[in-house]
Amino acid sequence: MVQPKPKRLTREQKEEKVEYFKEEIESNPVIGILDMHNLPAKQLQEIKKEMKEFAKVRMSRKTLMQIAIEQSDKEDIAQLEENEAIQPAFIFSEKDPFQLYSLIQANKTSAAAQGGEIAPNDIEVPDGDTGIGPGPMLGKLQQKGLNVQVDDGSIHVQQPGVIIEKGEEITADDAEILNQLGIEPLEIGLDLDVAYSEGELFTAEELDIDVEQYRTDVEAAASGAFNLAVNAGIINETTAETIVQQAVRKAKNLAISEGLPFEETIEEALAYAKSNADGLDSQLDLESVDLDEDTEEAESEETEEEDESEQDSDESEESEEDSEDEEDKEEE
């Protein structure tokens, strides 16, 4: 495992180390505390090479790291002391804490168990041919609750099963079974305990998020907020263009439907009127109407009206003649 260099440091060396840490704290926007107690030294060197493009990992004695934090003028940087790292190390980066955590996780590799470790997740044995011949391993797998049988000279797992649950200790016997099956349950890599950025401290639990789901949720929330603002008529630099476009579209549709002869709408208004006319025409069954019969009925009605009019005129003339005769008789 990684251990600080055992050599003694002079007072001057200690002061230089503290000053170096202090400068790194001041010059980097993100400072994290790693826990190195489960990381082999060989893997550490490999990981540091892979991460050098986006982060620097530096470690020393806890007291020197603590003094550097206390001497820094960065806002609320003292929060970094609130970590649970058994063997702490600094990590300095310009990536935001969430990106840094994701990159650290991506640089982890699987490793075999030796016994005595804590299972980071449920350890499951898949179904299928183990490639192991019949012997003591058959009984060990059965003791772990697995449904196994010998087929074609090797042990076959009939159904997948969890043999070690998350948080349980991996015993030496467990490690032997896992190694025989080729299962590497451990993750070798850096463990970010806490990260500081812009006065805020983030724990590993807070940084461990589903980035894609988080992005989807944020996009959905932004879209919903935008639609609400537009429908409510809230005008700002984000919604103004869409609200104006909607208003123009509604005004144009109103002008077209009412047949208002504006230059921008006259062509569409005529098309709209024609469409309505065509629709009305399609609803009328003109072919079923006998136009000749209708014409004859109309002419008959006109003739009757003329006859009635002439009769009324004759009666009026006769009445006038009778009236004149009566007046002549009275004069005589």
Side-chain angles (χ1 to χ4, degrees), residues 94-326:
E94 294 186 356
K95 299 290 185 180
D96 71 63
F98 293 94
Q99 287 179 313
L100 181 61
Y101 180 86
S102 178
L103 289 168
I104 289 174
Q105 293 300 107
N107 276 278
K108 288 190 173 185
T109 58
S110 61
Q114 302 300 319
E117 303 92 347
I118 301 300
N121 299 290
D122 289 345
I123 301 176
E124 182 181 73
V125 176
D127 58 351
D129 186 1
T130 65
I132 302 172
M137 186 58 64
L138 180 64
K140 291 181 180 181
L141 293 175
Q142 289 175 335
Q143 289 176 1
K144 285 296 181 180
L146 294 177
N147 181 9
V148 294
Q149 68 179 27
V150 177
D151 189 14
D152 291 335
S154 64
I155 299 172
H156 287 247
V157 178
Q158 301 303 304
Q159 293 179 337
V162 174
I163 61 172
I164 306 170
E165 295 185 352
K166 178 180 179 180
E168 291 183 349
E169 181 180 350
I170 302 174
T171 66
D173 288 340
D174 294 333
E176 180 186 357
I177 294 173
L178 295 173
N179 290 333
Q180 287 278 341
L181 295 173
I183 297 175
E184 297 182 337
L186 304 180
E187 285 186 330
I188 296 297
L190 302 178
D191 288 324
L192 183 62
D193 190 74
V194 293
Y196 166 94
S197 177
E198 298 181 351
E200 296 290 333
L201 190 71
F202 300 89
T203 65
E205 290 76 15
E206 293 171 328
L207 297 173
D208 186 14
I209 63 173
D210 185 335
V211 176
E212 292 303 320
Q213 184 60 49
Y214 188 80
R215 181 181 289 110
T216 300
D217 292 342
V218 170
E219 290 175 350
S223 177
F226 177 80
N227 292 335
L228 176 61
V230 169
N231 293 330
I234 300 174
I235 300 176
N236 54 44
E237 62 180 11
T238 304
T239 62
E241 182 177 353
T242 300
I243 291 176
V244 170
Q245 290 175 347
Q246 283 189 348
V248 170
R249 186 165 57 253
K250 289 179 180 179
K252 186 175 181 180
N253 291 338
L254 177 62
I256 292 172
S257 63
E258 295 298 323
L260 302 179
F262 294 114
E263 181 179 353
E264 295 84 356
T265 63
I266 186 65
E267 183 175 347
E268 290 175 284
L270 290 173
Y272 179 74
K274 182 179 183 304
S275 176
N276 287 341
D278 291 342
L280 179 61
D281 181 57
S282 66
Q283 296 177 15
L284 296 177
D285 188 7
L286 296 179
E287 294 181 357
S288 65
V289 179
D290 189 343
L291 296 179
D292 293 336
E293 182 179 344
D294 290 346
T295 303
E296 291 176 359
E297 290 180 356
E299 290 176 352
S300 174
E301 290 176 357
E302 290 177 0
T303 303
E304 290 177 359
E305 290 176 357
E306 289 176 359
D307 292 341
E308 291 177 356
S309 177
E310 290 177 359
Q311 183 177 356
D312 291 342
S313 176
D314 292 342
E315 291 177 353
S316 177
E317 290 177 358
E318 290 177 357
S319 177
E320 289 177 359
E321 290 177 358
D322 292 341
S323 178
E324 288 176 358
D325 292 340
E326 289 178 359

Side-chain angles (χ1 to χ4, degrees), residues 37-68:
H37 80 287
N38 279 329
L39 183 63
K42 181 180 179 181
Q43 278 78 4
L44 173 61
Q45 298 306 317
E46 294 175 355
I47 292 172
K48 287 173 68 174
K49 290 179 181 179
E50 294 174 355
M51 296 178 58
K52 65 180 181 180
E53 294 184 1
F54 61 86
K56 289 186 288 185
V57 177
R58 300 290 183 269
M59 65 183 301
S60 186
R61 297 177 181 176
K62 287 184 180 180
T63 53
L64 300 182
M65 296 173 62
Q66 183 176 353
I67 292 171

